[in-house]
């Protein structure tokens, strides 16, 4: 009876009663809310009963059930994302049966007898911390083992970058390239030609990614390469404007107007609180008096240098 009365989609945790109707229309909003809550509680109980009828397994948090496939198709805004193709390492690990295990971030370093990071700065077994490298029978005489290690590391990094670009190329062919990589696809040698760049990204995705990339640069996207049809920023940043130092027409006249405006405010009748006119006049007179005295002293010293005093050569009246 219950299966005929309700339509239960346990995959979506949803139940529906198509035969339900109000006996009498509710007169108030509170009455309508009470009827909806009562019917909702009844439908939730139906979903719970269907869940407990499924086979379950015991877990740490209690019984766990696996939901079946949904029977009701719900609309979605965007299409399902395509799965990424496996990388070369994933294919190799699957072929060899290698399983991924979680490793500890700290590893014991036997050289220093301390715990160090597995990767990054001050990591374990760092080549730069080894002062002596034991020679092997296969080493060539006169070869620097430290430079050899640097060259080998550089080759490993180049090989890893090559594999990364190859994986991106495979993802681009399958249409599973992330949107932020699609934006930078013109700068990465992953597609060969610009015509092969995926064009399935929506307008909103490109605008969001372009906005994030623009804010990540020091110039705020001013010198970035513009996409076809990309619009300028709606809210451009405000920049400070400085007046020109040379007086002239237009902008050059504004500095003079600003200075005149400030002087008018200072010399206005109600400017006693801003400027003490008597004190300003006194300071001006004192400054002028000091300058006059300084000029007088300079002129007197210069005249003394130009007109030296004459010495008298009169004979003394004393007899020898």
């Amino acid at each position: 009876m219950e299966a005929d009365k309700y339509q239960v989609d346990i995959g979506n945790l949803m139940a529906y009663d198509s035969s339900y109707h109000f006996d009498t229309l509710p007169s108030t909003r509170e009455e309508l809310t009470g009827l909806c809550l009562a019917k909702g509680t009844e439908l939730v109980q139906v979903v719970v009963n269907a869940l407990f009828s499924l086979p379950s397994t015991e877990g740490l948090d209690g019984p766990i059930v696996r939901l079946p496939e949904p029977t009701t198709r719900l609309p979605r805004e965007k299409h399902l994302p395509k799965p990424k193709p496996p990388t070369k390492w994933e294919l190799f690990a699957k072929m060899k049966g290698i399983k991924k295990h979680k490793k500890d971030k700290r590893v014991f370093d036997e050289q220093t007898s301390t715990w160090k990071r597995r990767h990054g700065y001050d990591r374990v077994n760092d080549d730069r911390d080894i002062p002596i490298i034991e020679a092997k029978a296969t080493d060539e005489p006169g070869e620097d083992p430290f430079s050899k290690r640097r060259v080998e590391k550089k080759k490993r990094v180049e090989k890893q970058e090559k594999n990364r670009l190859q994986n991106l190329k495979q993802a681009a062919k399958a249409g599973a390239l992330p949107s932020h990589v699609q934006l930078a696809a013109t700068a990465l040698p992953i597609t060969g030609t610009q015509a092969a760049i995926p064009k399935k990204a929506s307008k909103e995705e490109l605008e969001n990614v372009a906005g994030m990339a623009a804010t990540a640069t020091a110039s705020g996207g001013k010198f970035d390469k513009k996409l076809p049809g990309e619009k300028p920023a709606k809210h451009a940043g405000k920049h400070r404007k400085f007046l020109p130092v040379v007086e002239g027409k237009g902008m050059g006249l504004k500095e003079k107007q600003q200075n005149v405006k400030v002087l008018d405010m200072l010399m206005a009748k109600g400017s006693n609180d801003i400027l003490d006119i008597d004190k300003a006049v006194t300071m001006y007179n004192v400054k002028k008096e000091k300058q006059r005295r300084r000029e007088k002293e300079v002129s007197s010293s210069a005249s003394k240098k130009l007109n030296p005093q004459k010495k008298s050569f009169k004979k003394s009246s004393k007899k020898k």
Side-chain angles (χ1 to χ4, degrees):
M1 293 294 293
E2 192 173 283
D4 299 336
K5 183 178 180 182
Y6 301 106
Q7 298 177 5
V8 182
D9 184 5
I10 196 62
N12 288 324
L13 297 178
M14 184 176 63
Y16 179 67
D17 186 4
S18 58
S19 62
Y20 178 75
H21 62 278
F22 292 109
D23 296 333
T24 57
L25 293 176
S27 58
T28 61
R29 188 177 185 86
E30 289 76 11
E31 184 181 356
L32 176 62
T33 304
L35 292 174
C36 292
L37 288 176
K39 192 60 182 179
T41 305
E42 182 182 348
L43 294 175
V44 169
Q45 186 62 45
V46 172
V47 174
V48 171
N49 295 339
L51 281 176
F52 277 90
S53 64
L54 296 175
S56 62
T57 57
E58 290 296 330
L60 297 177
D61 299 329
I64 301 175
V65 297
R66 186 178 184 86
L67 297 178
E69 291 294 329
T71 58
T72 304
R73 297 186 61 182
L74 300 177
R76 56 179 290 125
E77 181 183 359
K78 299 178 181 178
H79 60 81
L80 290 171
K82 295 183 180 180
K84 294 183 181 179
T87 61
K88 294 178 66 176
W89 165 251
E90 292 174 350
L91 293 175
F92 177 78
K94 185 178 181 180
M95 182 178 62
K96 295 293 183 180
I98 301 174
K99 296 183 179 180
K100 187 177 181 180
H101 298 283
K102 188 176 181 181
K103 298 180 180 180
D104 297 331
K105 295 182 179 180
R106 295 276 181 174
V107 184
F108 185 76
D109 189 7
E110 297 180 356
Q111 298 178 4
T112 58
S113 299
T114 56
W115 291 88
K116 291 189 175 182
R117 300 181 182 90
R118 185 180 294 274
H119 305 288
Y121 174 74
D122 195 20
R123 63 182 180 273
V124 66
N125 298 330
D126 193 355
D127 297 342
R128 293 173 294 183
D129 295 340
I130 301 176
I132 300 174
I133 300 177
E134 296 182 1
K136 298 180 182 179
T138 56
D139 293 344
E140 297 182 2
E143 186 179 14
D144 186 6
F146 296 98
S147 61
K148 182 180 178 181
R149 283 196 173 191
R150 288 194 294 268
V151 172
E152 291 177 352
K153 182 179 179 181
K154 186 176 181 180
K155 289 182 179 179
R156 290 197 302 269
V157 172
E158 291 177 353
K159 183 180 179 181
Q160 185 178 4
E161 181 66 15
K162 182 180 178 181
N163 293 336
R164 186 182 72 87
L165 295 177
Q166 187 69 21
N167 294 332
L168 289 176
K169 185 176 181 180
Q170 296 295 333
K173 289 181 178 179
L177 196 65
S179 58
H180 66 279
V181 181
Q182 291 180 17
L183 184 65
T186 55
L188 293 175
I190 61 176
T191 55
T193 58
Q194 293 187 359
I197 298 175
K199 297 181 180 179
K200 294 183 179 180
S202 63
K203 181 180 179 182
E204 290 77 10
E205 291 178 349
L206 289 177
E207 288 180 354
N208 294 336
V209 175
M212 289 187 292
T215 54
T217 57
S219 62
K222 181 178 180 181
F223 302 103
D224 292 350
K225 184 178 180 180
K226 301 297 182 182
L227 294 175
E230 182 180 358
K231 296 180 181 180
K234 295 181 179 179
H235 304 286
K238 295 182 179 180
H239 301 280
R240 294 180 61 188
K241 294 183 179 180
F242 298 93
L243 297 176
V245 296
V246 180
E247 184 179 352
K249 298 180 180 179
M251 293 295 294
L253 191 61
K254 286 190 175 181
E255 185 177 3
K256 182 178 179 181
Q257 295 176 355
Q258 287 184 358
N259 295 336
V260 171
K261 185 177 181 181
V262 172
L263 289 175
D264 291 341
M265 291 175 60
L266 293 176
M267 303 304 294
K269 293 182 179 179
S271 62
N272 295 330
D273 299 335
I274 303 174
L275 176 65
D276 191 349
I277 299 177
D278 296 336
K279 186 176 181 180
V281 172
T282 304
M283 290 178 64
Y284 178 78
N285 294 334
V286 171
K287 186 177 180 180
K288 281 293 184 181
E289 184 65 24
K290 288 183 179 179
Q291 185 177 2
R292 192 181 301 109
R293 289 178 183 178
R294 195 180 301 111
E295 291 177 355
K296 187 176 181 181
E297 291 175 358
V298 172
S299 61
S300 61
S301 61
S303 61
K304 288 180 181 180
K305 291 180 181 180
L306 294 176
N307 300 323
Q309 294 181 357
K310 295 182 180 180
K311 296 182 180 179
S312 60
F313 296 97
K314 294 181 180 180
K315 295 181 179 180
S316 60
S317 58
K318 293 184 180 178
K319 295 182 180 179
K320 293 182 180 180

